[in-house]
Amino acid sequence: MKVLVSYATTEGQTRRIARHVADRIADMGHMVELARIDDADDIDLSRFDRTILAASIHVGHYQRGISEFAAKYAAKLGEKPSLFLSVSLAAAGHDAEDWRGLDKILADFQDATGWTPGRVEQIAGAYLPSQYDVFTRFAMRRILGKKDPEADLDQDKDYTDWPGLDALVGEWLGA
Ligand SMILES: Cc1cc2nc3c(=O)[nH]c(=O)nc-3n(C[C@H](O)[C@H](O)[C@H](O)COP(=O)(O)O)c2cc1C
């Protein structure tokens, strides 16, 4: 099987997730191509048996590049199995309002692009103050302080469930 894994990232966590997923796919004996979404603009999707797209949420939206790609290739993506990995900090918790927000962001994305992924998974991302500018650091400290009172707000914190990601990829490829 040949799988395309393409991603959009702002602070780098979704790149790590996409790389991890691509490595897992290769470990399972499949062929995989990993590309940043901006470099996949002219890709021939017919070369792949399956596609995984990954993007992260910032202020209620995925990166523009992923929306443009999904809109451009909606019909082609719909022809074969596809998986969308939606990366956020909301997915790191169990707040019902946060999860309703994730549903709404996803629904808006699907409406705007015309692409309905075969499967969607909400993936917990990371808090990365080492990557933020001074204003973002200030805003994110307040958000994370409420969300995770135990967290050291000066330190990066990874909320991604890596073994869970492995299990997801294995299950999806087997399906
Ligand atoms: C400026 C900013 C805004 C964010 N907005 C949201 C948001 O609206 N909802 C959410 O759940 N997470 C939000 N996050 C958390 C990111 O989705 C999370 O840090 C993710 O891991 C970022 O992935 P990336 O490193 O691939 O860009 C935000 C993070 C930053 C820095």
Side-chain angles (χ1 to χ4, degrees), residues 9-14 56-60 87-90 125-126 132 136 140:
T9 187
T10 305
E11 283 90 34
Q13 186 70 3
T14 310
S56 59
I57 297 175
H58 289 76
V59 200
V87 178
S88 69
L89 276 179
Y132 304 153
T136 306
M140 291 302 289

Side-chain angles (χ1 to χ4, degrees), residues 58-86:
H58 289 76
V59 200
H61 298 276
Y62 301 109
Q63 286 86 357
R64 185 191 304 224
I66 206 92
S67 298
E68 288 175 354
F69 182 91
K72 180 173 174 183
Y73 291 107
K76 277 245 164 275
L77 286 166
E79 287 172 9
K80 292 178 184 165
S82 61
L83 170 64
F84 181 47
L85 303 177
S86 163

Side-chain angles (χ1 to χ4, degrees), residues 77-130:
L77 286 166
E79 287 172 9
K80 292 178 184 165
S82 61
L83 170 64
F84 181 47
L85 303 177
S86 163
V87 178
S88 69
L89 276 179
H94 298 97
D95 184 280
E97 197 179 321
D98 278 2
W99 278 84
R100 277 194 294 277
L102 291 178
D103 289 343
K104 167 90 169 63
I105 292 164
L106 177 65
D108 288 349
F109 171 75
Q110 293 187 174
D111 284 351
T113 61
W115 176 48
T116 304
R119 177 165 173 179
V120 177
E121 288 293 327
Q122 300 288 353
I123 307 291
Y127 169 76
L128 300 173
S130 65

Side-chain angles (χ1 to χ4, degrees), residues 21 24-25 28 52 83 164-174:
V21 164
R24 176 92 184 98
I25 293 168
M28 290 175 74
I52 298 177
L83 170 64
L165 200 57
D166 289 344
L168 162 67
V169 172
E171 186 209 314
W172 184 71
L173 280 182

Side-chain angles (χ1 to χ4, degrees), residues 3 20 29-30 32 35 79 87 111 118 145 153 157-158 169:
V3 184
H20 185 92
H30 301 290
V32 62
E79 287 172 9
V87 178
D111 284 351
L153 299 177
K157 187 163 178 183
D158 186 350
V169 172

